[in-house]
Amino acid sequence: MAVKTDPEQKQEQRLERALRKYKGKPGVLIAALQEAQEIFGYLPRKVLIRVANKLTIPLSEVYSVVSFYSFFSTVPTARHRLEVCLGTACYVQGAETLLRDLQDLCGTGPGKSAAESPFSITTTRCVGACGAAPIVKIGEELHGEMTAEKLPRLLEELEKQ
Amino acid sequence: MSTLVKELARERVRPETDHRLLVCGGIPCRSKGCREVKEALCDELQKRGIAGGIPVEVVGCIGDCSLGPALIVYPEGIIYQKLAPEDARTIVREHLIEGRIVEPLLHRDPRSSEILRQREAMPFYRGQTRLVLRNCGVISAHIDDYLKYRGYAALALALAEMSPQEVIGEVRSSGLRGRGGGGFPTGRKWALAREAPGDEKFVICNADEGDPGAFMDRNILEGDPHSVIEGMIIAGYATGAARGYIYVRAEYPMAVHRCREAITQARRKKLLGENILETGFSFDLEIRTGAGAFVCGEETALISSLHGTRGDPEPRPPFPAQKGLWGKPTLINNVETLANIPLIILHGAARFTELGPKGSPGTKVFALAGKVRHTGLVEVPLGTTLRRVIFDIGGGIPGDKEFKAAQTGGPRGGAWARSRSTGPWTTTACAKPARSSARGGSS
């Protein structure tokens, strides 16, 4: 058996504590998965098995929920998650071109994250900041009135973090 | 002017004598750097040794996103626009210390070049009837501020002097229709939930606003969460529910955060929980966040999601009012619908029906975005024409270009061409899908 590294052990302890809180309560699967994803950054299979066992929900059902909601990811995500809003207002203000420019700059595309790149690019549905369209969402931060000219500096700043 | 607007205006008159700085914390302002502006304000106040006496508050969306980052300085109510951190320092030095208004930072009407100092002077605000948005951008989301403006007075009135049936009767005669898109009469929905047999009932606030271009509900939750919570408690009392859920989409982390804080504050003041206002009525609330599925805005799908499963819609009937969450009678109302409730209870249904056309009374909040001069949140009486919203309030199209078409109301709405832009907007027009505007996105 592989020796577990410290951070990994900590993550598992946190998951354990979280699941104890949800155990036996109805309707908590989504909340439990949200918390698990917050801990691990994504939902690997072993985490799903742990959630299923602890909450006594069939693994198939856990998978069906994970695959239904776009917020859940079963693959690791890059250090910086960039999401380009493709809602109507952003689209009208040129979000599609912006997305292409961003992909060119990072050398990645929606859903595929280049192995070495610190950036992953996905698209999102309307984030409700249409007054400042087009929007690029990075983590929980929204960057409004985004233009191709502003992108290189934004990426540079992120890389420095 | 309607009586309701007049009454509200009277309540608004608060003897503002002291300096108070309100920084717009709406998403567009945040994405344009309002946080740096606030930090610069606080820092400069500190440096000048006057930080103690002048509160700096971050408020919900002030309304006109094209002004961002925006700042309102009380007691005069001067609005400064498009601020950089350095501008904020100038305002502290010149306005607050020397008492001289910083003219270059004021808004200038693009057509007349007239300088507009106060919000009320701007066509964007002057053309509106801000009832649901009455507190947004004017007070902070904190319960103490809400209480100062007769917050929870409607709840107190309902619990102390009205029977649940009377509350429902009032909502019924107000003619309020659901603001989430369906346009179903709210009072009838409440009566159905009340009459449904069962000991345990639920109230759900549908805050899964997902239509592209729509951000009305988000701004209400961020700017004035207590008005929604008050509406929910009243709904609980009227329908006989003791538990409520606010289902917010995960794309709105700030709204989730503000609602969480608001619930904690309301519990502390004993406005949520056991024996509210010592009337024997108990009601409590919980927040649940979505996980990125558009369909969950549909009420039966939302209930599936609250059950912790895939957000699959269920056929209706049975309606949630008969068989909803955990199979129990459940009332589901949209954010804006619930925010209307305290107004109706406090000022009476008769006042409410003075606004808007017969059969579709009240106001509607619209989110204005796209190629228009002033973007942001606009609240107008139902029955207002699209042309008025775009030109009189929105300031028209940049470069005075010709208006070609507007898309309204999300997927259920439609495109309004120029020829139709002079017709009135109503919620009942939902029957004709192409003119549905009950969902207020507009881009």
Side-chain angles (χ1 to χ4, degrees):
Chain A
M1 211 176 103
V3 182
K4 278 181 185 167
T5 53
D6 248 3
E8 212 175 314
Q9 225 167 13
K10 265 201 188 118
Q11 284 176 328
E12 280 179 16
Q13 282 167 357
R14 274 179 69 195
L15 179 68
E16 219 41 51
R17 270 201 303 274
L19 292 178
R20 224 174 290 146
K21 186 172 69 190
Y22 293 115
K23 204 181 168 187
K25 286 188 191 152
V28 292
L29 178 56
I30 293 172
L33 290 169
Q34 281 169 334
E35 207 167 325
Q37 181 158 298
E38 218 180 282
I39 295 169
F40 290 88
Y42 72 110
L43 295 169
R45 188 180 154 84
K46 59 167 193 195
V47 169
L48 298 183
I49 293 172
R50 187 74 59 82
V51 171
N53 286 343
K54 259 280 164 348
L55 304 181
T56 50
I57 293 170
L59 183 60
S60 58
E61 202 180 309
V62 173
Y63 260 113
S64 86
V65 168
V66 168
S67 58
F68 181 84
Y69 294 99
S70 64
F71 257 54
F72 297 128
S73 173
T74 51
V75 290
T77 46
R79 197 151 59 88
H80 301 292
R81 281 185 70 181
L82 281 71
E83 295 169 70
V84 179
C85 178
L86 284 187
T88 316
C90 286
Y91 190 86
V92 170
Q93 301 282 19
E96 210 185 10
T97 338
L98 194 70
L99 175 63
R100 263 202 307 273
D101 292 339
L102 195 57
Q103 283 164 8
D104 289 346
L105 274 172
C106 301
T108 56
K112 49 179 177 184
S113 128
E116 277 97 50
S117 173
F119 306 110
S120 68
I121 303 168
T122 50
T123 59
T124 176
R125 58 200 194 110
C126 182
V127 292
C130 315
I135 300 279
V136 174
K137 185 169 168 242
I138 303 169
E140 289 206 348
E141 291 286 313
L142 297 181
H143 297 260
E145 294 182 352
M146 202 36 77
T147 58
E149 292 75 48
K150 288 187 194 164
L151 287 176
R153 228 189 106 197
L154 186 71
L155 295 181
E156 239 170 69
E157 272 170 27
L158 282 175
E159 253 174 315
K160 269 190 234 148
Q161 280 175 24
Chain B
M1 208 197 277
S2 81
T3 338
L4 177 56
V5 178
K6 271 190 223 151
E7 277 179 16
L8 273 174
R10 259 204 306 279
E11 283 168 22
R12 297 285 89 179
V13 185
R14 174 170 129 176
E16 295 276 5
T17 49
D18 301 327
H19 274 309
R20 203 158 64 98
L21 307 178
L22 305 184
V23 182
C24 180
I27 293 273
C29 281
R30 278 210 296 278
S31 73
K32 292 179 200 169
C34 76
R35 247 170 306 198
E36 288 76 16
V37 169
K38 192 207 165 190
E39 277 163 24
L41 277 175
C42 293
D43 184 57
E44 194 65 29
L45 288 170
Q46 197 84 45
K47 268 192 199 155
R48 307 274 151 186
I50 48 173
I54 303 177
V56 181
E57 292 162 30
V58 176
V59 293
C61 179
I62 287 177
D64 187 344
C65 300
S66 58
L67 302 182
L71 166 74
I72 302 184
V73 180
Y74 280 113
E76 308 95 321
I78 304 292
I79 185 161
Y80 289 110
Q81 63 158 8
K82 297 181 185 161
L83 299 178
E86 211 30 62
D87 299 331
R89 293 180 191 276
T90 313
I91 291 169
V92 172
R93 284 193 304 265
E94 296 194 12
H95 186 152
L96 298 181
I97 295 177
E98 291 167 27
R100 191 154 32 88
I101 289 166
V102 193
E103 288 217 348
L105 299 175
L106 296 173
H107 179 63
R108 209 176 264 275
D109 189 289
R111 291 214 185 99
S112 63
S113 315
E114 187 193 348
I115 289 177
L116 305 168
R117 298 173 166 212
Q118 271 127 343
R119 213 161 77 132
E120 295 67 29
M122 300 178 185
F124 182 82
Y125 294 99
R126 220 174 38 218
Q128 297 190 41
T129 307
R130 285 169 87 94
L131 298 182
V132 170
L133 298 178
R134 65 197 176 278
N135 292 328
C136 286
V138 182
I139 64 171
S140 77
H142 197 276
I143 194 164
D144 289 342
D145 261 15
Y146 186 65
L147 287 169
K148 272 183 210 156
Y149 285 111
R150 294 185 78 188
Y152 291 102
L155 174 69
L157 180 73
L159 292 184
E161 289 175 25
M162 295 166 87
S163 68
Q165 287 82 359
E166 282 170 331
V167 172
I168 293 176
E170 203 65 30
V171 176
R172 258 196 149 149
S173 37
S174 77
L176 176 69
R177 285 172 179 272
R179 301 298 195 229
F184 191 81
T186 306
R188 220 164 94 206
K189 214 179 200 182
W190 286 30
L192 282 173
R194 162 123 210 125
E195 286 152 17
D199 303 332
E200 203 181 8
K201 293 177 185 179
F202 297 101
V203 173
I204 296 174
C205 168
N206 183 349
D208 194 55
E209 177 176 60
D211 289 350
F215 47 95
M216 303 80 66
D217 296 347
R218 206 207 50 211
N219 279 338
I220 295 169
L221 289 176
E222 289 182 1
D224 195 18
H226 285 287
S227 67
V228 181
I229 293 173
E230 186 177 6
M232 285 186 82
I233 308 173
I234 296 171
Y237 173 68
T239 55
R243 266 207 100 64
Y245 293 90
I246 304 180
Y247 185 92
V248 196
R249 64 194 293 234
E251 287 90 341
Y252 288 179
M254 181 53 83
V256 173
H257 172 72
R258 290 265 163 86
C259 283
R260 271 212 181 107
E261 282 191 334
I263 289 175
T264 313
Q265 290 160 3
R267 276 197 196 126
R268 229 175 265 148
K269 299 259 181 209
K270 304 216 180 309
L271 291 161
L272 274 176
E274 298 289 316
N275 194 14
I276 294 171
L277 297 170
E278 300 185 346
T279 55
F281 172 66
S282 302
F283 186 83
D284 212 343
L285 270 181
E286 233 176 88
I287 293 181
R288 288 292 174 84
T289 54
F294 178 76
V295 69
C296 290
E298 193 280 328
E299 54 185 19
T300 60
L302 189 153
I303 288 171
S304 302
S305 186
L306 276 179
H307 287 157
T309 61
R310 297 162 63 94
D312 290 326
E314 304 273 337
R316 295 176 302 181
F319 291 95
Q322 304 155 311
K323 203 165 171 274
L325 190 63
W326 310 119
K328 314 275 185 193
T330 303
L331 172 74
I332 301 194
N333 277 143
N334 145 277
V335 172
E336 194 182 334
T337 315
L338 288 163
N340 267 294
I341 298 296
L343 280 175
I344 292 169
I345 298 300
L346 202 55
H347 298 268
R351 297 266 189 280
F352 189 79
T353 50
E354 285 173 13
L355 284 156
K358 252 202 161 98
S360 189
T363 59
K364 179 75 196 82
V365 182
F366 289 96
L368 200 57
K371 298 209 159 114
V372 59
R373 272 205 184 93
H374 299 273
T375 53
L377 281 195
V378 170
E379 183 175 353
V380 287
L382 281 156
T384 305
T385 64
L386 180 59
R387 186 155 274 277
R388 213 176 96 69
V389 171
I390 293 173
F391 288 92
D392 298 352
I393 297 172
I397 294 146
D400 283 321
K401 286 196 180 145
E402 206 181 316
F403 169 66
K404 286 183 186 155
Q407 194 243 329
T408 67
R412 286 189 43 156
W416 287 52
R418 187 176 43 187
S419 57
R420 299 172 63 204
S421 65
T422 45
W425 262 349
T426 59
T427 52
T428 41
C430 283
K432 305 168 215 150
R435 295 184 60 182
S436 159
S437 68
R439 193 93 203 111
S442 178
S443 43

